[in-house]
Amino acid sequence: SVVLAVLLVVGGTMAWFTSNPEEVTNTFAAGTVDIGATGDEYSEIINWNPGDTTERNLTITNNGSKATYVRAKLTPKWEDGLDITNVTFELKKGSNNEDPNWVYSDGWYYYKYILTKDDKSINLPYNVILDGPRTGNKYQGKTLTLTVEAQAVQASHDAYKDEWGPN
């Protein structure tokens, strides 16, 4: 028991070499997806006639820090719930008659490219067409409202698949 007591005293007074460095702090700032949409939304077309084609433009601006995929939706609605099949849209071609930078799928126009923070803005030039033969007298004096919606999702990690589904 004397030997055990000596071992306990000696073992209790022995020290181990240790080190306690200062903490290292890592910070992670998340990027932002933030777009703005401007266009002809405050422009009122008066005396619109069956057979007319009216040019419109939507400008989408990347105000965030992330590269994004962008899509836009054009939703027409006649007052009194009149049928909207007489209103169609067509994308305007570029100055050299090149294909537009947008593709239409599942009710949305998808920008074919990634919108980076350096690009800043893109345009969706389109025509609104009022089909003459499909627009009878019941449309006289009625108002068509065109709602334009734009959405963006980060371009990294295939986020569009989770948000918008496969396209």
Side-chain angles (χ1 to χ4, degrees):
S1 71
V2 173
V3 174
L4 182 58
V6 171
L7 286 175
L8 287 175
V9 170
V10 172
T13 60
M14 290 179 35
W16 295 94
F17 291 144
T18 63
S19 176
N20 294 315
E22 294 201 20
E23 292 178 351
V24 175
T25 302
N26 291 293
T27 59
F28 299 85
T32 58
V33 173
D34 179 22
I35 60 168
T38 58
D40 305 309
E41 67 268 15
Y42 299 112
S43 175
E44 183 179 6
I45 306 302
I46 298 174
N47 288 326
W48 203 36
N49 293 305
D52 282 357
T53 296
T54 304
E55 294 183 5
R56 304 277 35 144
N57 186 62
L58 173 68
T59 300
I60 298 173
T61 305
N62 187 349
N63 300 319
S65 65
K66 302 287 296 169
T68 62
Y69 285 114
V70 175
R71 70 180 184 173
K73 187 175 195 176
L74 309 173
T75 306
K77 181 180 178 184
W78 281 105
E79 72 176 288
D80 296 337
L82 291 171
D83 183 30
I84 61 163
T85 58
N86 60 345
V87 178
T88 58
F89 306 102
E90 77 179 359
L91 296 181
K92 292 181 355 187
K93 296 194 179 230
S95 59
N96 296 329
N97 207 29
E98 74 264 12
D99 286 335
N101 294 325
W102 298 79
V103 63
Y104 184 79
S105 177
D106 69 330
W108 291 87
Y109 292 95
Y110 291 85
Y111 187 60
K112 293 179 185 178
Y113 309 101
I114 293 173
L115 176 60
T116 69
K117 64 180 182 164
D118 296 327
D119 294 333
K120 278 301 185 190
S121 65
I122 54 175
N123 290 314
L124 172 61
Y126 60 96
N127 291 322
V128 183
I129 303 161
L130 183 57
D131 186 304
R134 295 173 127 179
T135 307
N137 285 332
K138 64 184 175 182
Y139 291 91
Q140 286 193 55
K142 301 299 180 186
T143 300
L144 175 82
T145 302
L146 178 61
T147 303
V148 181
E149 178 183 358
Q151 295 180 347
V153 64
Q154 71 184 44
S156 57
H157 306 294
D158 291 335
Y160 71 92
K161 291 179 183 176
D162 289 332
E163 289 297 314
W164 301 338
N167 290 306

